[in-house]
Amino acid sequence: MRERYLKSNNCGERKMKSELNINQVIDHLHYCVNEEGGIIDFPWCSELLYPFYLHFGDPNERFRSGSLLAFFGLLCEWEDGSGFPFCTGIEEYECHNFECYMDHFIELMDRTKRDYPSIYTTTISSLKNLIYHNDLIGTFKNISMDKRLQYKKFVEDEYAEHDKMVYFMALKEAGIDLQA
């Protein structure tokens, strides 16, 4: 299963090149989480290459929560050092567009915080860690400095204290029930 999309300047207007749809990709994401017992070290730039951010505001709860969980998973991949699934402008492979993910996440933050508080908290927590330990600002030279500073301020201003159980609650909000 390989999902690719054509690059464009407008995040909301990417065109799908394959016949896969969001339902198939979310099914595969759920399969990966259940198979691995968590959300680390997934094929983000192959089988799970999909513009999930397009579904952050989807009326379908499964697509919305699964897409938000995918963003958290992409951040985990970077945070734990097992991979880097985002474009920085120098890759020779297809990967995810961090700017599109952040723009959509910020735009829909109030709804996400209300509907999926655990997914929101885990995502903000990962972003905070990446800002402080992995140089979020220095990593994305392909994104304007103003945008990078906006992302940093957004993350710094958000509260995200949590314990280990919030991770399992985030999975549950996305329809995945792993035993803690």
Side-chain angles (χ1 to χ4, degrees):
M1 171 178 0
R2 181 136 175 108
E3 181 64 41
R4 295 179 176 251
Y5 49 94
L6 299 173
K7 295 180 181 185
S8 74
N9 292 331
N10 186 338
C11 296
E13 295 181 9
R14 292 183 183 240
K15 297 179 181 173
M16 306 311 292
K17 284 171 47 176
S18 81
E19 295 178 18
L20 291 179
N21 62 42
I22 184 64
N23 193 50
Q24 291 170 308
V25 177
I26 295 296
D27 282 348
H28 191 60
L29 176 62
H30 282 222
Y31 169 80
C32 289
V33 172
N34 285 309
E35 186 73 14
E36 296 297 323
I39 194 161
I40 296 291
D41 207 18
F42 287 179
W44 293 112
C45 293
S46 57
E47 289 94 356
L48 292 172
L49 183 59
Y50 186 90
F52 292 102
Y53 56 84
L54 293 176
H55 298 277
F56 286 1
D58 200 299
N60 181 305
E61 186 175 327
R62 182 172 182 269
F63 300 163
R64 188 170 71 243
S65 64
S67 293
L68 289 162
L69 184 69
F71 182 38
F72 170 60
L74 289 163
L75 295 171
C76 287
E77 188 86 359
W78 175 18
E79 189 178 0
D80 84 342
S82 63
F84 186 79
F86 294 106
C87 300
T88 63
I90 59 172
E91 294 83 8
E92 294 185 19
Y93 59 92
E94 292 187 63
C95 49
H96 296 266
N97 187 317
F98 183 77
E99 184 174 13
C100 293
Y101 279 88
M102 285 299 294
D103 289 347
H104 283 77
F105 188 74
I106 291 169
E107 178 184 337
L108 296 163
M109 69 179 240
D110 291 331
R111 182 178 179 187
T112 302
K113 205 185 296 190
R114 180 191 70 227
D115 295 346
Y116 308 109
S118 297
I119 293 174
Y120 187 83
T121 298
T122 55
T123 302
I124 292 295
S125 181
S126 285
L127 285 166
K128 281 183 179 291
N129 190 43
L130 291 167
I131 281 178
Y132 296 119
H133 302 320
N134 290 56
D135 190 20
L136 178 78
I137 298 297
T139 300
F140 295 103
K141 302 290 186 197
N142 60 319
I143 300 174
S144 76
M145 180 57 86
D146 288 345
K147 277 274 187 143
R148 289 182 280 162
L149 292 173
Q150 174 194 355
Y151 299 158
K152 182 178 179 188
K153 180 167 178 21
F154 165 74
V155 172
E156 288 174 339
D157 290 348
E158 288 299 301
Y159 180 75
E161 184 178 321
H162 70 275
D163 60 23
K164 183 180 177 184
M165 286 308 296
V166 78
Y167 171 77
F168 292 103
M169 292 171 11
L171 292 173
K172 196 170 210 162
E173 288 174 354
I176 301 168
D177 192 12
L178 295 181
Q179 299 300 332

